[in-house]
Amino acid sequence: MRIYLFIFILLLSTTAPAQTPPSPARPASSAAAGPNSIKPVGIIRGLSDSALLDIVQRQTFRFFWHYAHPVSGLARERDNTVKAEYYWDYINEAESEPNFSKHTFGPEACAIGGTGFGILSTIVAVNRGWVGKDTALKRLVKIADFLAKADCYHGIYPHFMNGATGRTIPFGRLDDGADIVETSYLLMGMLCAKEYFNGNTPLEKYFRNRVTEMWSVANWNWHGKSPQAAAGSKAPPSTTAAPDSKAPHSAGSDSDKFLYWHWSPYNDFDMNFPVYGWDEALITYVLAASSPTHAISRELYENSWVKSASWKNGKEYYGIKLPLGNFEYGGPLFFEQYTFMGIDPNNLKDDHGIDYAEQTRNHTLINRAYCIDNPKKFKGYGANCWGLTAGDSYKGYVAHCPQDDRGVIQPTAALSSFPYTPEYSMQALKHFYYDLGDRIWGEYGFADGFSESKNWYATTHLAIDQGPIVVMIENYRSGLIWNLFMKIPDVQTGLKKLGFTGPRIKN
């Protein structure tokens, strides 16, 4: 969805807590004080690098632990309320479009992909002892049980969901059903949790069974269509979850099909948005190829992802080669973060000659080099203040990147790059925490973004930005999530099918 937003937008010394003031609409935390309550801290001077990382990870995790929806346990999309009939109304404020929406998008709105990131963060929290294993498992069972009865379309979940009712919250007029990319983030989290909670207790077995069921019914093939078939007849409207199908949605050779991002029981494939490369959705293809029941073919992957005009790059920027992606300077940094929360890019190659360690590191280095170069002369940019990616802006929501640079830094961009640029990411972290902490550090970690040129500092936090901070710092420190995800047998099968090789992939 984030690249979908990106294309659309392009076209148009103190120890006192520096708390982010809560929005008037922000509900109370869902986790009561107790042994599994995580107390926020302010700016603490003189920390070792390791202690600083502990604090940042732990406080950022509070977004998922203390701010999760109290009914379902799902991750809320954001901790403020915006005006929107559809979410696009808020996003388009960035383009100075008037927004007189009477409805709001607030604490009821939960993010399916963000929930997957929250599940990964919960594994980190248990492993580091911030919360108890049994308590965390009960939270995950709560989520899994809720999703078992929530809206789902051929096993694929919507982008946004009401955290109390399980009903779909439409993203847009046509985007009111399945979102295959957000579902892949959810399942990345669920599968890792299944791997981590591998004991013989009844509750662990129950949870694993729930995840297995969810994984088995996700019909990735339903989203594989030829362009002609995608423009064909619509399915009848339904107010309930669509039934699963044992057969692909369209017949014919997979060499002429695309994998489509959205499907709706009301609008079929009218969104008409294939999952092209290069962007944040490689994980979608890997999981779709890994499915034990509804796996896509290698041919579909090649036709829809690899052969797309936006997959390959090969240019140099600031003397750094960028293997993939047709956006100048590589686009927003979440391209290199969402997928690689689970997939370890180190020593990962494919049979098209792509080195994914080179791709992830070089894109990050180019993004930083651009911020140091600072061609638009924005205040604050530099070697210790860099990172352009999607997030809240001083108006609306923007997929910030060198091609759409508005002077806004998202802390998640540099912090979620720790596995690729540890020295430079630490440099940025210390600047954000020690120098800007009185403006951007709060109860859920760093605020979503800031612009020194505009003297604007967000008071918001987003699930999709907080989650990667916790997980990618952990992958840098211990490789925990990589170790879990990369050893899953189904994932091994999918990676091999798509032509990936590396020391973690067994022959």
Side-chain angles (χ1 to χ4, degrees), residues 142-412:
K142 180 179 183 177
I143 294 171
D145 280 350
F146 183 85
L147 290 173
K149 296 290 187 179
D151 279 355
C152 188
Y153 310 90
H154 308 99
I156 306 298
Y157 289 94
H159 190 119
F160 294 132
M161 179 180 289
N162 186 300
T165 67
R167 301 287 76 84
T168 298
I169 297 177
F171 194 102
R173 179 62 186 85
L174 299 177
D175 186 358
D176 60 355
D179 186 313
I180 198 171
V181 175
E182 297 298 311
T183 298
S184 67
Y185 302 148
L186 173 68
L187 286 170
M188 176 170 58
M190 285 290 187
L191 290 171
C192 279
K194 178 186 174 185
E195 197 72 21
Y196 185 79
F197 291 94
N198 61 358
N200 291 320
T201 67
L203 195 59
E204 285 176 284
K205 291 179 180 179
Y206 178 85
F207 174 70
R208 293 198 299 271
N209 288 341
R210 276 279 184 251
V211 176
T212 297
E213 179 184 35
M214 188 181 299
W215 176 228
S216 298
V217 302
N219 192 342
W220 311 89
N221 259 318
W222 182 266
H223 286 248
K225 297 272 285 182
S226 69
Q228 295 78 13
S233 60
K234 296 180 176 59
S238 171
T239 57
T240 60
D244 194 43
S245 171
K246 294 182 180 178
H249 196 61
S250 62
S253 170
D254 283 353
S255 63
D256 65 355
K257 289 182 183 178
F258 297 132
L259 191 69
Y260 283 86
W261 205 300
H262 314 89
W263 179 84
S264 161
Y266 293 96
N267 302 299
D268 204 48
F269 290 96
D270 282 2
M271 277 294 295
N272 194 29
F273 197 82
V275 186
Y276 294 132
W278 174 254
D279 55 36
E280 74 271 37
L282 176 60
I283 186 64
T284 306
Y285 281 94
V286 170
L287 287 181
S290 302
S291 170
T293 51
H294 300 287
I296 64 166
S297 67
R298 171 70 184 264
E299 290 73 21
L300 177 55
Y301 164 75
E302 291 287 334
N303 190 62
S304 189
W305 181 258
V306 175
K307 292 181 181 178
S308 63
S310 58
W311 188 65
K312 204 76 177 281
N313 190 299
K315 298 179 185 177
E316 288 192 1
Y317 305 91
Y318 301 107
I320 304 166
K321 180 185 175 183
L322 183 66
L324 298 175
N326 73 337
F327 299 106
E328 296 298 320
Y329 304 92
L333 278 182
F334 70 87
F335 286 7
E336 313 304 337
Q337 295 164 356
Y338 292 1
T339 283
F340 299 104
M341 292 168 74
I343 295 175
D344 181 1
N346 292 298
N347 299 303
L348 182 70
K349 297 179 173 64
D350 68 17
D351 54 11
H352 294 283
I354 303 301
D355 181 328
Y356 287 85
E358 179 185 37
Q359 168 65 26
T360 52
R361 177 172 169 80
N362 285 7
H363 183 180
T364 307
L365 290 172
I366 290 166
N367 193 287
R368 178 177 182 269
Y370 172 87
C371 291
I372 294 172
D373 184 29
N374 194 12
K376 295 186 177 181
K377 308 304 178 186
F378 287 119
K379 183 180 178 181
Y381 280 28
N384 65 350
C385 191
W386 57 275
L388 305 180
T389 195
D392 279 347
S393 195
Y394 48 85
K395 289 195 300 183
Y397 179 98
V398 177
H400 302 104
C401 63
Q403 279 185 275
D404 194 358
D405 180 13
R406 308 187 188 199
V408 176
I409 296 294
Q410 249 77 35
T412 188

